[in-house]
C-alpha cells in the first residue's frame, strides 16, 4: 500500500488530500479556512483587510497555524505514519522574507513549540505581499525600463512586469525599507516557504511558481542576471535555487514526525504554484486540455506545445511541473466579485443560483463589467463595477439580473482575453470552489459554446501535488494516475443550451466598455 499526501496552501484556506496510489482512491481530505478558524489574524478572506494604495498582505504565521490545525485534524482521520510521499502547492507570487537566522532556524524546530512561535523571530518582514496586491505600478515601470521595455521583459520572463509578481514586490520592499531588505537573507515564495518548513531545509523554487516572479528566464529556466539587477541589489544571494518539478527536496522533518506521527524517510517533492499544480490534478499536464479554475481568482490555463505570449501583456507563461510550459491568464475579480454581488442583496448561494432560472441568457441586454477591485485581465483600475442596461439594473435594484450580469460579464471578458493562446478544444474542465455551481458552469458552457466537465475529485490543486509526489517518490507514471484520479463526473457534464449568436452583441459591448474605461 502506498499513500501520497498533497497540500494546497491557497488564498482563503489550506487543504490536504491523501490518495491510495495502488487502489486508486482518495482516502482522506481536510481543509482549514483561515478567516473562520483563525479569526484573530483579522483576515476574513485570507488577507489583511484595509491595505492602502492597492497593498494586499497576509500573515505567514497564520499559514503555519493553519497547517498545524490541518495536520492535527488529518491525523485524527488517517494514520499519517502510512504516508510515504508528500508534495504541495501555494498561492502564486506571494513572498516571505526571512532574516539570517532562518537557515539554521529552519533545521531545528522544537516539536514542543508551535511553528508560528518559532518562525516569528526568523522573519525579516512581518507580513507577506500576496497576488492580490496591485501597489507596484511604479516598480513595474522601473524594472521594464531598465531591461529595455515590455517586449524584452516578456521574452525573458514570460510576462511583462506585473504588479502582483514577486520581483516588483521585492523592488518595492527594497525601496521603501532598505534596511529591512538588507537584513533579508532569504526570500521564499509561499510554496517554497512551506516546503522548507516541512523538510527542515531551505527548499528550492520550482519553474512553475518561479516563473511568476518576473525574475526567471523561461528559456534557460535560471535566474536572469539582468532581471535581478533591474529589481534590487544582491538579489541572487537572497533567492533559493530554481529546480524542475521532479526534484525531491528532502524528507519530512522530525518536527512533523514527532507532532503528527509521520514515518521517517518520507520524501518531499518540490512544491509548486496552485495553478501549475491544478494543471496536473485536472489531468491536463499534456497539451490538449483547457482548464478554468474558479477560486478566489478565476484562472484559465493549459499546457503548451509552443511558447507564445499575450500581445496585450496580461497573460503569462509558467513552467509546467511535469514537463515543458503552460499558459495562464488570471482574473483578479473571481469569486470575491461573485460574493460581492451575492452579499449586496443578502443572498446565499442557493438564491444566487436561482437567479439564473428567473433571468435569460443575454440578460435582456443588461451588462456588467464586474470589477470590484483592480483587474489584472484586462488591466483596469476600477473600484466599482460598471453597469449598462435598464435604469433599475443600473441602480442595483434588480438582484437576479445583477447576479447574471456579473457572471456573464466575467466569462464574456475571459473569452476575449484568452484568444491569444490560440487554443481550440471541445471540452473545458472546471475546478475551484465555484465550479460545483451548475448555473455558473452553464454560463461558461454557453459563452464558450463548449461542453463543460468537472472531475469527481474537486480539490485539483492538492490532488496534483499528491500525484506529483507519487510520480517522483513512488515510481508511478502521471498518465496512469490521471486514468484513475482525474475522472470526469458523469453527472456533472454541461452542454451549451443556447446558440452562439445570443452573446454576440454582449461580447461586442463588453469590449467597448473595456476600451472606454482603459
Ligand atoms: P482558493 O483556493 O482561492 O482559496 P477556492 O477554490 O477554495 O478558493 O474557492 C473558494 C470560493 O468558492 C469562495 O470564495 C466562494 O466564493 C466560492 N464558492 C463556494 N461555494 C460556492 C457556490 N455554491 N457557488 C459559487 N461559488 C461558491
Ligand atoms: C495567478 C494568480 C492567482 C494565484 C492565487 O497568476 O495570481 O491565481 O495563484 O490563486
Amino acid at each position: 500500500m502506498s499513500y501520497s499526501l498533497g497540500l494546497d496552501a491557497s488564498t482563503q484556506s489550506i487543504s490536504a488530500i491523501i490518495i491510495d496510489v495502488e487502489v486508486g482512491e482518495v482516502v482522506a481530505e481536510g481543509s482549514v479556512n483561515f478567516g473562520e478558524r483563525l479569526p484573530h489574524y483579522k483576515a476574513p478572506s485570507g488577507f489583511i483587510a484595509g491595505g492602502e494604495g492597492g497593498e494586499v498582505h497576509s500573515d505567514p504565521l497564520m499559514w503555519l497555524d493553519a497547517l498545524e490545525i490541518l495536520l492535527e485534524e488529518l491525523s485524527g482521520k488517517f494514520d499519517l505514519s502510512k504516508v510515504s510521499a508528500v508534495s504541495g502547492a501555494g498561492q502564486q507570487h506571494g513572498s516571505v522574507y526571512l532574516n539570517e537566522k532562518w537557515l539554521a532556524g529552519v533545521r531545528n524546530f522544537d516539536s514542543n513549540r508551535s511553528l508560528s512561535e518559532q518562525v516569528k523571530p526568523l522573519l525579516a518582514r512581518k507580513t507577506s505581499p500576496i497576488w492580490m496586491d496591485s501597489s507596484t505600478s511604479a516598480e513595474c515601470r522601473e524594472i521594464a525600463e531598465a531591461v529595455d521595455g515590455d517586449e524584452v521583459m516578456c521574452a525573458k520572463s514570460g510576462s511583462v512586469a506585473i504588479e502582483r509578481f514577486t520581483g516588483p514586490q521585492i523592488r518595492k520592499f527594497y525601496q521603501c525599507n532598505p534596511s529591512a531588505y538588507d537584513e533579508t537573507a532569504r526570500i521564499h515564495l509561499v510554496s517554497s516557504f512551506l516546503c522548507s518548513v516541512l523538510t527542515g531545509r531551505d527548499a528550492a523554487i520550482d519553474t512553475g511558481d518561479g516563473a511568476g516572479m518576473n525574475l526567471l528566464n523561461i528559456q534557460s529556466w535560471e535566474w536572469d542576471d539582468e532581471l535581478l539587477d533591474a529589481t534590487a541589489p544582491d538579489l541572487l544571494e537572497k533567492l533559493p535555487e530554481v529546480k524542475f518539478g521532479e526534484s525531491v527536496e528532502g524528507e519530512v522533518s522530525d518536527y512533523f514526525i514527532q507532532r503528527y506521527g509521520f514515518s521517517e524517510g518520507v520524501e518531499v517533492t518540490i512544491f509548486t504554484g496552485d495553478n501549475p499544480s491544478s494543471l496536473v490534478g485536472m489531468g491536463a499536464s499534456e497539451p490538449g486540455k483547457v482548464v478554468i479554475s474558479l477560486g478566489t481568482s478565476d484562472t484559465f490555463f493549459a499546457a503548451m506545445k509552443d511558447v507564445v505570449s499575450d500581445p496585450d501583456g496580461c497573460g503569462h507563461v509558467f513552467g509546467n511541473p511535469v514537463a515543458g510550459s503552460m499558459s495562464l491568464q488570471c482574473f483578479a475579480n473571481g469569486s470575491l466579485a461573485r460574493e460581492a454581488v451575492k452579499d449586496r442583496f443578502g443572498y446565499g448561494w442557493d438564491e444566487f443560483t436561482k437567479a439564473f432560472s428567473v433571468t435569460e441568457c443575454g440578460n435582456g441586454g443588461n451588462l456588467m463589467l464586474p470589477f470590484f477591485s483592480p483587474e489584472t485581465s484586462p488591466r483596469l483600475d476600477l473600484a466599482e463595477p460598471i453597469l449598462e442596461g435598464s435604469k433599475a439594473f443600473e441602480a442595483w435594484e434588480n438582484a437576479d439580473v445583477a447576479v447574471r450580469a456579473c457572471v456573464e460579464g466575467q466569462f464574456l471578458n475571459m473569452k476575449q482575453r484568452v484568444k491569444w493562446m490560440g487554443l481550440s478544444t471541445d471540452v473545458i474542465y472546471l475546478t475551484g470552489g465555484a465550479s460545483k455551481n451548475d448555473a455558473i458552469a452553464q454560463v461558461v458552457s454557453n459563452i464558450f459554446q463548449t461542453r463543460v466537465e468537472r472531475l469527481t475529485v474537486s480539490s485539483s490543486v492538492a490532488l496534483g501535488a499528491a500525484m506529483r509526489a507519487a510520480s517522483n517518490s513512488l515510481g508511478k507514471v502521471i498518465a496512469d494516475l490521471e486514468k484513475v484520479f482525474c475522472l470526469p463526473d458523469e453527472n456533472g457534464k454541461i452542454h451549451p443550451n443556447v446558440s452562439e449568436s445570443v452573446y454576440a452583441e454582449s461580447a461586442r459591448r463588453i469590449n467597448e466598455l473595456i476600451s472606454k474605461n482603459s
Side-chain angles (χ1 to χ4, degrees):
M1 272 177 296
S2 303
Y3 299 100
S4 182
L5 163 66
L7 295 168
D8 164 15
S10 56
T11 315
Q12 301 192 54
S13 56
I14 181 161
S15 315
I17 194 168
I18 301 176
I19 56 173
D20 179 335
V21 297
E22 302 303 339
V23 175
E25 261 177 16
V26 174
V27 292
E29 280 187 275
S31 186
V32 172
N33 181 285
F34 304 131
E36 284 165 17
R37 306 293 299 279
L38 297 162
H40 54 285
Y41 282 102
K42 300 193 168 41
S45 296
F47 54 88
I48 303 157
E52 281 177 13
E55 219 170 71
V56 183
H57 285 215
S58 193
D59 190 331
L61 302 181
M62 175 182 77
W63 300 330
L64 296 176
D65 281 346
L67 172 67
E68 300 222 54
I69 299 174
L70 176 70
L71 292 177
E72 179 66 44
E73 291 182 355
L74 203 59
S75 67
K77 295 182 194 166
F78 187 83
D79 175 2
L80 295 179
S81 73
K82 293 186 187 161
V83 168
S84 41
V86 183
S87 190
Q91 54 171 311
Q92 297 198 249
H93 320 296
S95 41
V96 185
Y97 299 73
L98 290 317
N99 61 32
E100 86 287 346
K101 290 184 274 185
W102 160 257
L103 290 175
V106 72
R107 286 199 288 268
N108 291 305
F109 291 136
D110 170 1
S111 61
N112 294 312
R113 293 162 62 214
S114 72
L115 285 172
S116 60
E117 184 188 343
Q118 296 178 80
V119 169
K120 194 173 180 185
L122 310 182
L123 292 175
R125 189 182 193 182
K126 273 195 182 144
T127 56
S128 293
I130 65 160
W131 66 273
M132 297 170 90
D133 191 298
S134 60
S135 69
T136 63
S137 300
E139 288 75 12
C140 287
R141 274 195 302 276
E142 290 162 5
I143 294 171
E145 263 170 40
V147 299
D148 277 343
D150 287 349
E151 259 177 52
V152 180
M153 222 32 237
C154 203
K156 275 176 174 285
S157 78
S159 308
V160 300
I162 300 275
E163 282 78 356
R164 69 186 190 284
F165 277 36
T166 325
Q169 293 292 339
I170 293 172
R171 180 166 181 79
K172 182 178 166 197
F173 181 52
Y174 153 67
Q175 287 186 325
C176 295
N177 202 340
S179 59
Y181 177 77
D182 271 352
E183 282 160 25
T184 301
R186 182 61 87 231
I187 303 174
H188 271 294
L189 292 179
V190 178
S191 58
S192 59
F193 170 63
L194 291 174
C195 184
S196 301
V197 166
L198 197 66
T199 52
R201 299 179 60 214
D202 186 57
I205 286 178
D206 92 306
T207 57
D209 219 9
M213 300 174 80
N214 279 146
L215 296 173
L216 187 67
N217 188 304
I218 58 159
Q219 307 300 330
S220 65
W221 298 113
E222 285 174 4
W223 298 127
D224 185 285
D225 289 338
E226 209 189 338
L227 294 174
L228 296 181
D229 289 347
T231 301
D234 306 320
L235 186 48
L236 182 62
E237 66 199 45
K238 297 182 196 295
L239 293 175
E241 276 181 83
V242 188
K243 292 189 190 162
F244 289 105
E246 66 265 17
S247 171
V248 170
E249 285 300 289
E251 294 173 356
V252 173
S253 72
D254 279 350
Y255 182 90
F256 295 92
I257 295 173
Q258 279 156 30
R259 260 173 107 103
Y260 303 107
F262 284 95
S263 293
E264 285 190 13
V266 176
E267 289 188 348
V268 180
T269 283
I270 193 167
F271 281 32
T272 187
D274 55 359
N275 295 295
S277 189
S278 181
L279 186 79
V280 182
M282 292 303 287
S285 57
E286 289 277 333
K289 290 185 179 173
V290 164
V291 182
I292 296 178
S293 167
L294 305 175
T296 309
S297 63
D298 289 345
T299 53
F300 181 109
F301 51 85
M304 296 292 271
K305 266 203 205 93
D306 306 311
V307 176
V308 286
S309 59
D310 175 8
D312 292 337
C314 298
H316 316 295
V317 177
F318 295 152
N320 173 341
V322 172
S325 62
M326 64 182 281
S327 58
L328 178 135
Q329 194 89 28
C330 174
F331 301 82
N333 283 275
S335 281
L336 297 184
R338 290 183 285 275
E339 278 178 32
V341 175
K342 171 176 86 57
D343 295 346
R344 185 167 191 137
F345 296 105
Y347 273 12
W349 286 121
D350 282 349
E351 291 146 311
F352 182 94
T353 306
K354 275 192 203 125
F356 293 86
S357 53
V358 296
T359 51
E360 284 184 356
C361 297
N363 216 15
N366 293 302
L367 199 69
M368 187 188 299
L369 199 56
F371 304 157
F372 288 78
S373 58
E375 179 49 52
T376 46
S377 301
R379 288 146 155 268
L380 263 191
D381 204 355
L382 294 185
E384 271 297 314
I386 297 173
L387 279 61
E388 198 183 80
S390 72
K391 272 216 173 83
F393 168 67
E394 288 186 5
W396 290 94
E397 283 165 4
N398 192 330
D400 295 336
V401 174
V403 165
R404 178 178 278 281
C406 170
V407 175
E408 289 187 343
Q410 289 181 318
F411 295 102
L412 285 166
N413 176 49
M414 181 182 282
K415 189 176 179 188
Q416 298 298 321
R417 302 279 85 73
V418 301
K419 281 194 171 148
W420 65 272
M421 295 181 198
L423 300 165
S424 68
T425 177
D426 54 5
V427 50
I428 288 174
Y429 292 88
L430 268 198
T431 183
S435 67
K436 58 176 174 271
N437 189 312
D438 284 350
I440 296 176
Q442 187 66 62
V443 173
V444 175
S445 178
N446 285 342
I447 287 181
F448 282 88
Q449 287 289 300
T450 304
R451 185 172 85 249
V452 164
E453 292 187 6
R454 274 82 45 104
L455 302 188
T456 47
V457 177
S458 58
S459 38
S460 58
V461 177
L463 176 62
M467 287 167 61
R468 293 179 53 241
S471 154
N472 289 343
S473 298
L474 306 176
K476 297 289 162 190
V477 175
I478 291 279
D480 294 339
L481 294 170
E482 279 176 8
K483 282 181 206 138
V484 223
F485 290 105
C486 311
L487 299 177
D489 176 355
E490 287 306 322
N491 300 319
K493 291 187 179 167
I494 302 242
H495 297 267
N497 61 10
V498 292
S499 72
E500 192 161 16
S501 59
V502 169
Y503 283 109
E505 179 58 9
S506 311
R508 191 192 60 74
R509 281 175 54 210
I510 207 101
N511 274 346
E512 206 172 79
L513 268 185
I514 290 169
S515 308
K516 255 199 256 168
N517 289 283
S518 296

